[in-house]
Amino acid sequence: MAVIKQETTSEKLRGERNGSDTFSKGSTEDTSDQSKPDTPAPKPYVSNDDLYRRSSQYKLWSYTSATLLQIRQDVYKEGVKLAKERLSETKQNLIRDSTPEVVELLKSHEFSVDSLLDPPNLTEENKFLTYYSKILLNTGDFFRMPTQVKATAASFFKKFYLINSALEYHPKSVLYTCLFLAAKSENYFMSIESFASKLPNTEPKDVLDLEFIVLKSLKFTLLVHHPFRPLYGLFLDTQAVLLYPSPMMYDVNVDTLGGLYDKAKKWLVDYAIISDVELLFTPPQIALAAMYDTDKRITDKYLKRKFSDTNEYDQLVHTIVKCIRKAKDVEIPSKDESKLIDKKLFFVLHPERLLKKKTKQVNNAAAPTDAIPQPTSSNENSTAVATPVTPAAPLSI
Amino acid sequence: MIEDDRSKDMCPICKTDRYLSPNMVFLINPECYHKICESCVDRIFSLGPAPCPYPKCGKILRKNKFKRQVFDDLVIEREIDIRKRVNSIYNKTEEDFESLESFNSYLEDVENIVFNLTNNVDVEQTTKDLNKYEEEHKIEILEKNMRESQKNADFVKYQESIAQLKHEKMRIQQQMELEDLEYQRQQKQVLLDKLASNPGGSSEELIAQSNSNILKRSSLRKRQFQQLTNQLDQRIQTSNPFKRGRSSESDEVGSSTPFTPFKGDRDLNKRYTLLDTGKTDADVSTGTYHDPYVSGLAKNKEFLGAGWRLELVFERALDEAFMGMGCFIDKEKELKAEVKLEGGDGISV
């Protein structure tokens, strides 16, 4: 972050008055950068925007689209690296414990880590995560959670995968933990027993084990500023601006605005929660985008009256339009598609199964006509029967 | 510990124990702060000044200077005595100074003197200065004392009048209640008479009528009572010298910016103007927010009793609506990234 700038500002302020440095870590370009150290400039004012700039959401979890993409790529690369390490380690272990024939097989070119591993690519991974965000919301509905809790959980989920890769933590278990954590942080408490008992194949331990990892990935910032309350505030302010002292538009009254508010709220639930907009825009901007996309005419009139300065107006509308495009630019993959990705992911997360499957394939290919399986592979096969190679459908919610 | 307790409860002169004579009292003299029991004081000092009976003390003490010990710790007892003495000489208050700074430096001087005397620093010089000051400002000190006592008397008067007012109000209320009771009984009697005199008429109507009469009267009486108390309040307000000064002061405080921990004052010019959320729906011209659900909550006494207010809900929502509206992340964060690149390897936060 803006390291240099921060230092100069805090030094300057230390000169002016001692103490109160606990809050000086925030970036306050707008207020304090203008005042020069030698002239006792008028006391800086802290606007609401400056307050937002102090929030963890702005400091830690707001990115430009380029940085966001960069972060995703880095995390993906790291995930692939870890997956490869996992695979080679498993292979080493297998080589140590196996008969010479198998060892020879494992050392062949076909079993090299690079050719063996087939991880889902970055787009696939993102699609898969989107699919799971949707499932997260459905699960929230199943628990009858308020929208606020669901939105927080989705936000946690999204942020978790900005730090970790899906190639390391399967989203299925992470989503439960996110949901449970969000319920706690949004004061919608439910006991872990009742929570886990309603989920398929889940023990309390499965949820709780990940809790600290999720918390750490979130950098312990649990407060999420959602666009819902700003939307409500804008609903109030549109009333003030458009209806008083006399109605601005002949066909707009309290009821039309109320309708607009309800539709915009639905828009937020449908688009804003799943997409990346919360990482790219501020809550009021997202709320405005929802209104703008719902009823462009009224919102535009409101903005024009509110921001008489055309420069500011243009900038805001530009941002809003961008936000709408980002919010709608989300593709939720079909169930079949995500199943295919899940299959790939399964072998990335369980390299021993991958090795087993490959061995079987090779053996089958080597002796397709042999009635009796070769002695070396019989052992392998018998275990493979005991535990089915294909993963149990993970999408059974 | 036990030793300590015992010595605490025993007169070191006559060795009388509190255990044996439970109502014995210890006295001290601000000359040397040695503890002596009352009977010893009577015995030793009734014939005039005498040296302190403690070994190696020998200060000349007088009986009239002996007093009861208030604080357990003698150091504190001594400091309080010194403070009293110094304050009786340096008795100016804030209104005697033009600026706060000069008053503060005056207070500091006083504190220095007290400190010197309590901790035996430069005692001689300080006492000399103190005496000199007293000599020079004798008249001022006396005047100040007079004014203060006048003020105190005023305050006492004010308190008395308040108490009187309360009493008066109570009396009026009681009287009214008595009259009401009487009136109700009369009405009842009238009603019964009426009922008895025309047996054919509908009794319900009569009863309803008399009830409404009583109701009307009671509301009238309530208003009367309110008026009376208001009058009384006003009278006391105008005659009270303290209240007026205070109210103007509080106005001043209200208009200034509250303290913020944000390196600078909060911008009080909000980007919105909060509409009046007055309860009267009829007043539409100035406008009020329309939200049936929240307005419905505002009628709930349980919510209101807990401090929940409608305008706070609106204010918070509106505040958040503009919190970050002008933060264009794309631009700001890009700027930061550039700064970081230029700055090279800074300490990462």
Side-chain angles (χ1 to χ4, degrees):
Chain A
M1 264 157 253
V3 180
I4 300 306
K5 216 170 230 180
Q6 274 178 20
E7 293 210 328
T8 48
T9 25
S10 59
E11 257 170 34
K12 211 182 297 162
L13 274 144
R14 218 168 287 144
E16 279 168 18
R17 50 173 117 140
N18 292 328
S20 79
D21 256 347
T22 25
F23 284 89
S24 73
K25 288 211 170 126
S27 48
T28 48
E29 286 91 329
D30 284 23
T31 50
S32 45
D33 271 12
Q34 286 144 6
S35 61
K36 288 178 184 105
D38 45 345
T39 52
K43 248 187 176 179
Y45 277 100
V46 180
S47 70
N48 274 351
D49 287 350
D50 295 329
L51 287 186
Y52 184 72
R53 290 194 183 96
R54 286 165 206 274
S55 65
S56 62
Q57 182 160 326
Y58 178 86
K59 281 198 246 173
L60 301 175
W61 300 112
S62 295
Y63 308 99
T64 63
S65 12
T67 355
L68 187 62
L69 190 66
Q70 184 63 45
I71 289 173
R72 289 231 161 99
Q73 277 167 353
D74 290 350
V75 167
Y76 176 75
K77 267 184 213 153
E78 184 67 27
V80 173
K81 204 180 112 201
L82 282 171
K84 279 182 181 164
E85 277 170 14
R86 249 191 336 260
L87 181 58
S88 57
E89 197 184 316
T90 331
K91 212 171 95 178
Q92 291 307 323
N93 287 345
L94 205 62
I95 288 174
R96 212 173 42 228
D97 303 341
S98 301
T99 52
E101 288 94 350
V102 181
V103 169
E104 204 164 308
L105 188 66
L106 284 170
K107 278 186 174 163
S108 70
H109 172 70
E110 269 180 281
F111 278 86
S112 79
V113 168
D114 285 315
S115 67
L116 207 56
L117 197 69
D118 177 26
N121 60 30
L122 183 57
T123 347
E124 279 174 332
E125 189 197 351
N126 282 342
K127 266 190 191 171
F128 192 55
L129 290 179
T130 315
Y131 180 76
Y132 265 100
S133 315
K134 192 76 196 160
I135 288 188
L136 180 140
L137 295 186
N138 292 344
T139 319
D141 285 337
F142 170 72
F143 281 104
R144 292 175 193 281
M145 284 170 171
T147 316
Q148 178 97 4
V149 181
K150 283 185 287 177
T152 305
S155 173
F156 286 174
F157 186 75
K158 221 173 291 164
K159 289 167 184 170
F160 179 82
Y161 283 109
L162 288 181
I163 304 292
N164 307 290
S165 167
L167 306 182
E168 201 180 342
Y169 297 98
H170 194 285
K172 190 177 155 195
S173 37
V174 174
L175 93 85
Y176 292 151
T177 308
C178 283
L179 213 53
F180 182 65
L181 198 60
K184 277 200 282 189
S185 86
E186 290 289 348
N187 214 353
Y188 184 77
F189 185 74
M190 51 174 76
S191 75
I192 181 67
E193 279 83 16
S194 72
F195 181 76
S197 68
K198 284 181 189 152
L199 297 169
N201 310 325
T202 310
E203 293 293 312
K205 194 173 170 302
D206 301 338
V207 177
L208 294 180
D209 277 355
L210 271 172
E211 198 172 42
F212 187 71
I213 298 171
V214 171
L215 269 172
K216 210 169 83 180
S217 306
L218 290 174
K219 299 177 186 135
F220 306 97
T221 55
L222 296 180
L223 183 71
V224 185
H225 296 275
H226 291 301
F228 299 108
R229 198 173 293 114
L231 181 65
Y232 180 64
L234 286 168
F235 162 61
L236 296 175
D237 205 45
T238 46
Q239 289 184 22
V241 170
L242 295 181
L243 299 183
Y244 301 106
S246 61
M248 283 300 127
M249 300 158 89
Y250 69 95
D251 58 344
V252 171
N253 55 26
V254 170
D255 293 330
T256 20
L257 291 180
L260 169 62
Y261 170 58
D262 287 339
K263 275 188 212 147
K265 212 162 149 189
K266 187 160 181 320
W267 190 96
L268 286 182
V269 175
D270 286 347
Y271 297 111
I273 295 182
I274 294 231
S275 62
D276 291 333
V277 286
E278 65 160 317
L279 304 170
L280 302 169
F281 302 96
T282 62
Q285 287 163 359
I286 299 170
L288 268 179
M291 283 168 68
Y292 198 80
D293 200 38
T294 316
D295 192 326
K296 188 174 165 190
R297 199 172 59 93
I298 297 179
T299 317
D300 202 47
K301 182 93 184 169
Y302 165 72
L303 287 176
K304 273 206 178 110
R305 269 182 67 81
K306 190 83 193 169
F307 300 99
S308 44
D309 175 15
T310 48
N311 206 356
E312 198 177 7
Y313 167 82
D314 285 345
Q315 199 176 15
L316 198 56
V317 170
H318 181 70
T319 313
I320 290 169
V321 171
K322 246 198 329 200
C323 176
I324 294 173
R325 218 168 17 200
K326 268 274 184 256
K328 294 211 160 172
D329 178 31
V330 172
E331 196 191 334
I332 299 175
S334 66
K335 196 166 179 176
D336 295 332
E337 200 179 341
S338 62
K339 251 185 190 164
L340 283 177
I341 304 171
D342 193 32
K343 224 173 199 171
K344 282 186 179 177
L345 194 60
F346 177 82
F347 288 119
V348 171
L349 292 171
H350 301 90
E352 69 281 357
R353 292 293 190 82
L354 176 64
L355 287 172
K356 205 174 276 176
K357 183 182 154 210
K358 190 75 185 172
T359 326
K360 197 179 162 198
Q361 261 178 14
V362 168
N363 284 337
N364 283 351
T369 46
D370 276 4
I372 309 151
Q374 290 188 353
T376 45
S377 66
S378 72
N379 193 17
E380 293 276 325
N381 269 347
S382 62
T383 49
V385 170
T387 52
V389 174
T390 44
L395 310 170
S396 56
I397 290 175
Chain B
M1 198 66 199
I2 295 166
E3 190 68 20
D4 216 8
D5 275 350
R6 196 180 293 162
S7 74
K8 218 166 117 187
D9 281 342
M10 193 169 76
C11 175
I13 312 300
C14 57
K15 312 282 183 209
T16 316
D17 207 310
R18 181 163 286 171
Y19 183 74
L20 295 174
S21 49
N23 46 7
M24 81 184 239
V25 174
F26 286 110
L27 296 176
I28 50 162
N29 195 305
E31 278 295 324
C32 63
Y33 291 96
H34 286 140
K35 200 165 70 168
I36 305 169
C37 81
E38 204 175 17
S39 62
C40 285
V41 171
D42 277 342
R43 182 165 49 80
I44 300 171
F45 299 101
S46 51
L47 292 175
C52 176
Y54 269 68
K56 287 185 197 162
C57 177
K59 280 210 168 112
I60 306 293
L61 307 178
R62 286 162 197 283
K63 193 187 171 189
N64 62 353
K65 286 279 167 66
F66 274 97
K67 58 169 199 160
R68 265 177 192 238
Q69 187 175 349
V70 181
F71 296 93
D72 211 29
D73 190 346
L74 281 174
V75 179
I76 291 175
E77 181 78 39
R78 181 155 169 264
E79 190 187 328
I80 300 280
D81 284 339
I82 291 168
R83 214 168 261 286
K84 259 186 203 157
R85 172 150 176 260
V86 173
N87 279 347
S88 72
I89 295 165
Y90 285 85
N91 62 353
K92 288 190 183 172
T93 51
E94 195 179 345
E95 27 194 278
D96 298 323
F97 292 89
E98 272 165 17
S99 68
L100 186 65
E101 258 170 62
S102 52
F103 177 54
N104 279 340
S105 64
Y106 174 79
L107 284 183
E108 177 138 12
D109 287 345
V110 174
E111 257 345 277
N112 275 339
I113 294 169
V114 172
F115 179 84
N116 282 351
L117 290 180
T118 39
N119 296 300
N120 296 326
V121 185
D122 267 348
V123 181
E124 239 169 78
Q125 183 62 32
T126 318
T127 333
K128 223 177 170 181
D129 288 348
L130 195 64
N131 289 337
K132 203 172 137 203
Y133 180 89
E134 194 180 5
E135 208 58 44
E136 281 168 3
H137 296 78
K138 214 162 201 170
I139 299 172
E140 267 178 66
I141 291 167
L142 269 175
E143 259 178 20
K144 186 77 199 162
N145 273 339
M146 296 266 282
R147 254 183 295 152
E148 284 300 309
S149 65
Q150 177 67 32
K151 224 190 235 171
N152 282 344
D154 277 357
F155 186 67
V156 169
K157 233 193 231 162
Y158 169 67
Q159 274 184 331
E160 268 172 12
S161 66
I162 289 280
Q164 223 173 19
L165 175 77
K166 220 171 167 184
H167 189 74
E168 185 76 358
K169 272 188 194 168
M170 286 278 276
R171 202 182 54 78
I172 292 175
Q173 199 173 7
Q174 263 174 9
Q175 201 184 338
M176 282 181 121
E177 269 168 17
L178 274 178
E179 279 172 19
D180 281 354
L181 274 178
E182 181 66 20
Y183 178 75
Q184 272 179 19
R185 229 187 41 213
Q186 261 178 24
Q187 283 288 315
K188 231 182 214 167
Q189 195 55 48
V190 169
L191 180 66
L192 280 178
D193 288 350
K194 266 190 193 164
L195 282 176
S197 62
N198 68 340
S202 64
S203 54
E204 276 94 10
E205 217 168 79
L206 281 172
I207 293 173
Q209 204 189 346
S210 94
N211 272 350
S212 82
N213 269 350
I214 292 178
L215 231 111
K216 251 186 225 161
R217 198 189 121 91
S218 74
S219 69
L220 189 79
R221 299 281 286 184
K222 252 182 214 158
R223 239 174 298 146
Q224 265 179 356
F225 176 66
Q226 197 60 43
Q227 232 167 1
L228 269 173
T229 49
N230 278 353
Q231 268 172 10
L232 282 173
D233 276 343
Q234 240 163 29
R235 213 167 58 209
I236 219 80
Q237 214 76 284
T238 47
S239 66
N240 166 27
F242 295 98
K243 263 271 163 65
R244 249 173 292 145
R246 225 174 283 153
S247 72
S248 69
E249 218 169 84
S250 70
D251 279 352
E252 239 169 70
V253 169
S255 65
S256 68
T257 334
F259 168 77
T260 53
F262 297 114
K263 281 205 307 185
D265 289 335
R266 275 291 275 281
D267 194 357
L268 290 181
N269 299 319
K270 299 270 171 69
R271 305 202 68 164
Y272 60 88
T273 41
L274 193 67
L275 289 184
D276 182 28
T277 49
K279 278 96 207 164
T280 48
D281 291 325
D283 187 22
V284 192
S285 60
T286 53
T288 163
Y289 296 115
H290 177 81
D291 186 337
Y293 176 67
V294 184
S295 309
L297 294 182
K299 295 195 179 82
N300 191 336
K301 276 189 186 144
E302 287 170 21
F303 277 58
L304 294 175
W308 184 91
R309 290 291 175 274
L310 189 60
E311 50 273 24
L312 295 183
V313 176
F314 291 150
E315 207 176 343
R316 179 174 180 199
L318 282 162
D319 263 336
E320 284 201 20
F322 294 97
M323 195 165 281
M325 189 174 267
C327 299
F328 299 101
I329 293 172
D330 249 358
K331 271 190 190 151
E332 292 175 14
K333 293 261 170 175
E334 218 153 71
L335 215 79
K336 281 188 175 184
E338 275 168 26
V339 168
K340 194 175 180 182
L341 283 181
E342 281 166 22
D345 49 353
I347 315 138
S348 63
V349 180

